[in-house]
Amino acid sequence: MKYYAVRRGVKSGIYTSSKEFKECIRDYEDPEYKVFKSEIDAEHYIMRYRVRQKSKVKEG
């Protein structure tokens, strides 16, 4: 099974359906995503981005 992790898109999250995944990045100017074989790896990818975004807000 593939896990599509979307960091930046119409709606961020983890998807197992390529159709849902494509809808989440379609028409988004600069999407950020990655495909994983494990759900845990996909979750870590999303969580690292969220932590980095929170630290940027605190610094700014």
Side-chain angles (χ1 to χ4, degrees), residues 2-16:
K2 291 183 180 178
Y3 296 90
Y4 304 89
V6 178
R7 283 182 172 177
R8 285 190 322 222
V10 176
K11 185 177 178 189
S12 63
I14 299 171
Y15 303 91
T16 55

Side-chain angles (χ1 to χ4, degrees), residues 5-13 15 20-33 45-46 49:
V6 178
R7 283 182 172 177
R8 285 190 322 222
V10 176
K11 185 177 178 189
S12 63
Y15 303 91
E20 278 185 295
F21 158 69
K22 289 175 184 174
E23 289 175 11
C24 289
I25 62 167
R26 184 184 51 191
D27 298 330
Y28 195 83
E29 190 171 315
D30 189 22
E32 188 174 334
Y33 59 90
Y45 177 77
I46 296 289
Y49 177 74

